[in-house]
């Protein structure tokens, strides 16, 4: 392939021909998928090359947005880096309609080409095989190239290297670090954890429709809904005038997987550049060593405080959602929650974190919630699963918990800490089945053991309570999920999303809302894609998949949720 690419380039030079690198996903070479676009370009007496026939000729450059688990993307970037060096070569990128993953690659290829005054063209491929629109786009490209050629303008070839600004030790004392909101019930204490570790840390509260509109201005429209929410919150805060942007840093988690979550940091940096704030450092919060910052360390002191915040948050979420729909004295559940939230924040802020005091607090919190007078007549229980941000962020799921409670149901949301268990278990699976680092697997096993030890006291208290249920073990979730999907599904929420649905069903919550960002391919596979198989194995399962997006119809979402609740009520009447 490389030899053929070099041969075609030489032919172009000798005969004064122009060439197009037709780049995309590997499956775009299938004529049933590309709808004859290579032949269309050939009909204009233009040579067609694939990205892997020229990518080896490029000088290596570091792109702004990177996910090393995407095999094809590095060839796209290398091909674009080569194309920008030649006047007789241009690039057209094919991408799949609605593919949020391609939103990353199209942005990056665009930046590489347009940064050196090349024209970027992208053709969306779907099931429609009418070449009319593609023909117009291709002819427009050739016309634009002819105009540029006649004008005789010289291009400046610029490097695509991106020099990120590091968060230094000097910045730690003077800078404010902003973090987007995801789960208010947990993040109230997360802010305390970071502040007690010496960071001027602030969790944003601007998770609303306006911030999503801001995100739409700075993020590719094909990127998933959570990325619009996150980037929108941060950019809106930066532009608000509330903060000194010369002493400001942003923070975002980075998983290192093959999903958009790995690219949030890149999305944010790109948005800052576009908004004129490229000097603001973005801190990557990760456990995989993707990026390091001199001024920010995930040390034991910070990690244990963050763990306590997550543990307390999960306890509050279970207690509040279980008791609030049934309380006899309205507002009593929130009063107890606020009282213990203050106590937990004081504990997390403390200089010495006593494990024995933590154990005592867990028991007392659960005992006090358990003693709240409630109506003992059970309502339909509705589990909420899905993409992690849409599942936990009220603004992202249109306040789904409040909606379910207002419609006479009880919301059941699996623990936030379970996602950390999922990440740890994946390392164990990959070491056993895919030959990855056994050291990472051993560390992950220790992580699971440690978290189990920390959660043991709350699990026991829940088990001994009148109104609550004990948390599931991660190894139980693995066994549940194995019935339906391979544990090798680890992109996005992966097998864990299927496992959570089965966990809820095993615990008696057969009504489930699966919250999914529109076009999120991983979640559509292991969420919407497994519903039929789950229903076949568990006929009483009443699952509805709801897409969330800036353009999604709230009326349509509401109608589908109400239809699911109607079925839930009928099933409950039959059971009684």
């Amino acid at each position: 392939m490389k030899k053929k690419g070099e041969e075609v380039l030489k032919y172009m030079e000798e005969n004064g021909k122009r060439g197009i690198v037709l780049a995309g996903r590997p499956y775009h070479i299938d004529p049933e998928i590309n709808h004859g676009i290579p032949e269309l370009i050939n009909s204009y007496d233009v040579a067609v090359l694939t990205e892997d026939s020229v990518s080896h000729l490029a000088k290596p450059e570091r792109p702004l947005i990177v996910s090393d688990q995407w095999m094809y993307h590095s060839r796209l970037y290398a091909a674009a880096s080569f194309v920008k060096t030649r006047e007789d070569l241009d690039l057209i990128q094919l991408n799949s309609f609605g593919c949020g993953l391609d939103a990353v690659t199209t942005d990056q290829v665009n930046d590489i080409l347009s940064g050196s005054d090349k024209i970027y063209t992208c053709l969306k491929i779907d099931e429609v095989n009418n070449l009319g629109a593609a023909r117009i786009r291709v002819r427009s490209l050739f016309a634009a190239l002819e105009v540029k050629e006649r004008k005789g303008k010289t291009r400046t070839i610029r490097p695509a290297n991106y020099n990120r600004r590091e968060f230094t030790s000097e910045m730690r004392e003077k800078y404010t670090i902003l973090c987007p909101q995801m789960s208010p019930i947990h993040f109230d204490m997360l802010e305390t954890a970071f502040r007690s570790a010496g960071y001027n840390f602030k969790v944003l509260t601007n998770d609303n429709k306006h911030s999503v509109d801001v995100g739409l201005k700075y993020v590719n429209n094909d990127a998933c809904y959570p990325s619009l929410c996150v980037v929108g919150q941060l950019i809106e805060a930066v532009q608000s005038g509330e903060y000194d942007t010369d002493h400001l840093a942003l923070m975002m988690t980075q998983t290192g997987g093959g999903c958009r979550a790995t690219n949030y940091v890149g999305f944010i940096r790109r948005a800052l550049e576009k908004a004129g704030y490229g000097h603001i450092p973005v801190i990557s919060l990760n456990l995989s060593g993707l990026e390091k910052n001199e001024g920010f360390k995930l040390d034991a002191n910070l990690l244990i405080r963050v763990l306590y915040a997550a543990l307390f948050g999960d306890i509050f979420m279970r207690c509040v959602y279980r008791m609030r729909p049934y309380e006899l004295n309205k507002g009593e559940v929130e009063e107890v929650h606020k009282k213990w939230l203050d106590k937990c924040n004081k504990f997390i802020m403390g200089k010495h974190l006593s494990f024995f005091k933590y154990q005592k607090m867990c028991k007392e919190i659960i005992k006090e919630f358990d003693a709240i007078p409630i109506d003992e007549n059970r309502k339909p229980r509705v589990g909420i699963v899905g993409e992690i941000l849409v599942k936990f962020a009220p603004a992202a799921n249109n306040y789904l918990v409040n909606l379910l409670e207002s419609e006479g149901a009880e919301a059941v949301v699996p623990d936030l800490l379970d996602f950390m268990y999922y990440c740890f278990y994946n390392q164990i699976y990959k070491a056993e089945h895919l030959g990855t680092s056994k050291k990472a697997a051993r560390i992950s096993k220790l992580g699971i053991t440690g978290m189990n030890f920390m959660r043991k006291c709350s699990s026991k208290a829940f088990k001994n309570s009148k109104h609550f249920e004990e948390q599931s073990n991660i190894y139980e979730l693995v066994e549940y999920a194995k019935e339906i999907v391979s544990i090798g599904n680890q992109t996005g929420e992966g097998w864990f999303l299927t496992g959570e649905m089965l966990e809820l069903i095993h615990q008696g919550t057969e009504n489930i809302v699966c919250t999914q960002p529109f076009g999120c391919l991983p979640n559509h596979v292991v969420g919407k894609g497994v519903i039929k198989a789950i229903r076949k194995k568990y006929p009483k399962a009443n699952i509805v998949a709801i897409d969330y997006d800036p353009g999604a119809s709230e009326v349509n979402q509401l109608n589908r949720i109400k239809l699911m609740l109607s079925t839930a009520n009928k099933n409950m009447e039959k059971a009684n």
Side-chain angles (χ1 to χ4, degrees):
M1 184 62 72
K2 293 175 183 177
K3 186 177 177 182
K4 193 67 179 176
E6 292 167 6
E7 182 185 314
V8 172
L9 290 171
K10 186 178 179 183
Y11 170 82
M12 288 164 50
E13 292 169 0
E14 292 173 349
N15 295 276
K17 299 289 184 183
R18 180 172 288 281
I20 292 288
V21 173
L22 198 57
R25 287 174 169 268
Y27 57 67
H28 283 134
I29 63 171
D30 187 332
E32 286 295 320
I33 293 175
N34 65 42
H35 305 319
I37 290 173
E39 289 77 14
L40 169 64
I41 297 170
N42 268 155
S43 71
Y44 292 99
D45 197 27
V46 174
V48 175
L49 302 95
T50 61
E51 76 279 356
D52 51 349
S53 69
V54 297
S55 57
H56 66 290
L57 300 171
K59 292 180 180 178
E61 294 184 307
R62 182 181 183 275
L64 172 59
I65 303 172
V66 176
S67 175
D68 289 337
Q69 293 198 12
W70 298 357
M71 298 304 178
Y72 77 94
H73 81 287
S74 55
R75 297 199 299 272
L76 294 181
Y77 304 152
S81 296
F82 176 69
V83 166
K84 75 179 184 183
T85 65
R86 293 183 61 116
E87 298 302 325
D88 60 352
L89 205 57
D90 289 278
L91 184 145
I92 295 176
Q93 185 174 357
L94 304 179
N95 87 308
S96 297
F97 174 76
C99 178
L101 300 180
D102 277 354
V104 179
T105 63
T106 51
D107 277 351
Q108 184 58 59
V109 173
N110 185 3
D111 287 349
I112 293 170
L113 294 173
S114 57
S116 293
D117 304 319
K118 276 280 189 180
I119 297 173
Y120 172 72
T121 303
C122 178
L123 299 179
K124 289 185 181 290
I125 303 297
D126 57 21
E127 70 277 11
V128 178
N129 58 13
N130 185 342
L131 276 180
R135 188 181 296 276
I136 292 169
R137 295 290 308 284
V138 172
R139 288 176 62 183
S140 297
L141 171 62
F142 292 150
L145 292 172
E146 285 178 15
V147 171
K148 287 185 75 175
E149 208 169 274
R150 283 200 302 269
K151 289 183 177 179
K153 287 186 177 180
T154 56
R155 290 188 306 112
T156 302
I157 299 174
R158 304 177 185 89
N161 290 328
Y162 180 80
N163 298 315
R164 72 179 180 92
R165 191 177 184 199
E166 189 175 339
F167 185 78
T168 63
S169 298
E170 291 76 25
M171 294 176 180
R172 178 168 176 164
E173 294 181 6
K174 300 176 183 177
Y175 275 54
T176 299
I177 302 174
L178 302 183
C179 167
Q181 179 62 268
M182 186 183 80
S183 176
I185 211 162
H186 295 85
F187 278 35
D188 280 346
M189 290 170 288
L190 184 72
E191 182 175 304
T192 303
F194 276 88
R195 285 182 174 274
S196 59
Y199 299 98
N200 184 17
F201 190 83
K202 180 174 175 57
V203 175
L204 296 173
T205 57
N206 61 338
D207 48 331
N208 51 46
K209 295 292 184 186
H210 184 261
S211 66
V212 173
D213 291 339
V214 174
L216 283 165
K217 288 174 63 178
Y218 294 102
V219 181
N220 189 310
N221 284 358
D222 280 344
C224 66
Y225 184 41
S227 62
L228 298 175
C229 297
V230 165
V231 175
Q233 284 183 55
L234 292 169
I235 297 298
E236 184 186 47
V238 169
Q239 295 176 332
S240 68
E242 186 179 341
Y243 306 97
D244 175 5
T245 55
D246 290 328
H247 295 85
L248 192 64
L250 310 181
M251 178 179 284
M252 188 61 207
T253 53
Q254 199 169 19
T255 62
C259 183
R260 44 84 202 158
T262 293
N263 297 283
Y264 273 173
V265 170
F267 278 146
I268 295 164
R269 286 186 181 135
R270 190 171 189 272
L272 287 171
E273 288 282 347
K274 289 170 71 176
Y277 298 96
H279 64 284
I280 295 178
V282 182
I283 302 167
S284 166
L285 182 64
N286 69 84
L287 295 173
S288 53
L290 281 173
E291 285 187 5
K292 294 180 180 178
N293 288 273
E294 181 194 28
F296 177 76
K297 304 292 181 189
L298 268 176
D299 55 24
N301 177 45
L302 175 58
L303 284 171
I304 191 66
R305 293 176 192 274
V306 169
L307 179 57
Y308 276 127
L311 288 163
F312 283 132
D314 284 340
I315 292 172
F316 287 145
M317 188 169 66
R318 280 179 172 264
C319 292
V320 170
Y321 291 171
R322 168 65 181 93
M323 305 300 282
R324 190 169 59 191
Y326 305 96
E327 61 183 355
L328 296 178
N329 305 312
K330 292 299 175 186
E332 188 172 356
V333 170
E334 288 300 335
E335 284 179 15
V336 173
H337 177 206
K338 188 177 183 306
K339 167 190 164 182
W340 278 106
L341 175 61
D342 292 339
K343 289 186 176 184
C344 290
N345 275 324
K346 286 176 184 175
F347 172 80
I348 294 168
M349 282 285 289
K351 196 171 183 180
H352 303 291
L353 298 172
S354 167
F355 178 70
F356 296 105
K357 185 177 180 182
Y358 157 74
Q359 285 183 305
K360 187 168 181 276
M361 288 175 69
C362 287
K363 292 174 186 175
E364 289 175 352
I365 292 169
I366 294 167
K367 185 178 180 181
E368 188 162 346
F369 273 106
D370 202 26
I372 293 174
I374 63 168
D375 182 347
E376 298 293 347
N377 295 309
R378 293 302 291 265
K379 299 181 178 183
R381 305 179 76 198
V382 180
I384 300 175
V385 299
E387 190 278 331
I388 188 168
L389 185 135
V390 179
K391 177 170 72 171
F392 287 111
N397 60 41
N398 293 332
Y399 299 89
L400 180 56
V401 172
N402 293 349
L403 169 63
L404 292 172
E405 290 182 1
S406 69
E407 292 292 329
E410 172 196 340
V412 182
V413 184
D415 292 355
L416 175 62
L417 198 64
D418 286 350
F419 189 82
M420 197 67 224
Y421 277 103
Y422 158 71
C423 294
F424 277 142
Y425 184 84
N426 285 350
Q427 297 303 318
I428 300 170
Y429 177 90
K430 286 192 283 191
E432 291 176 352
H433 298 275
L434 304 175
T436 59
S437 169
K438 298 208 178 292
K439 181 182 176 182
R442 286 195 297 271
I443 293 170
S444 296
K445 282 183 180 177
L446 287 172
I448 291 174
T449 303
M451 289 195 300
N452 281 342
F453 177 75
M454 296 293 289
R455 198 161 77 166
K456 189 176 180 181
C457 56
S458 61
S459 293
K460 189 175 179 182
F462 279 132
K463 187 177 181 180
N464 295 332
S465 69
K466 182 181 178 183
H467 298 105
F468 306 113
E469 293 166 344
E470 184 182 9
Q471 297 108 320
S472 292
N473 186 292
I474 185 63
Y475 298 105
E476 290 177 336
L477 261 67
V478 170
E479 293 305 313
Y480 293 155
K482 277 182 182 177
E483 300 176 0
I484 306 294
V485 294
S486 164
I487 306 304
N489 284 288
Q490 296 182 6
T491 302
E493 280 60 42
W495 64 265
F496 177 66
L497 175 51
T498 307
E500 281 195 319
M501 286 195 275
L502 294 168
E503 174 194 15
L504 288 165
I505 291 169
H506 279 275
Q507 291 180 349
T509 304
E510 294 165 335
N511 313 296
I512 299 171
V513 177
C514 187
T515 61
Q516 303 187 149
F518 174 74
C520 176
L521 302 187
N523 280 283
H524 279 288
V525 171
V526 293
K528 187 182 292 185
V530 302
I531 291 175
K532 185 177 179 181
I534 291 175
R535 284 177 179 156
K536 186 176 180 181
K537 192 168 183 67
Y538 302 95
K540 292 183 180 179
N542 177 26
I543 308 172
V544 60
I546 305 292
D547 286 342
Y548 288 90
D549 191 65
S553 166
E554 288 188 39
V555 173
N556 179 267
Q557 292 169 350
L558 180 61
N559 286 342
R560 298 186 67 214
I561 291 167
K562 282 189 172 184
L563 183 61
M564 180 274 298
L565 287 171
S566 174
T567 303
N569 282 309
K570 287 176 184 175
N571 290 342
M572 200 166 185
E573 287 172 10
K574 286 179 184 177
N576 293 334

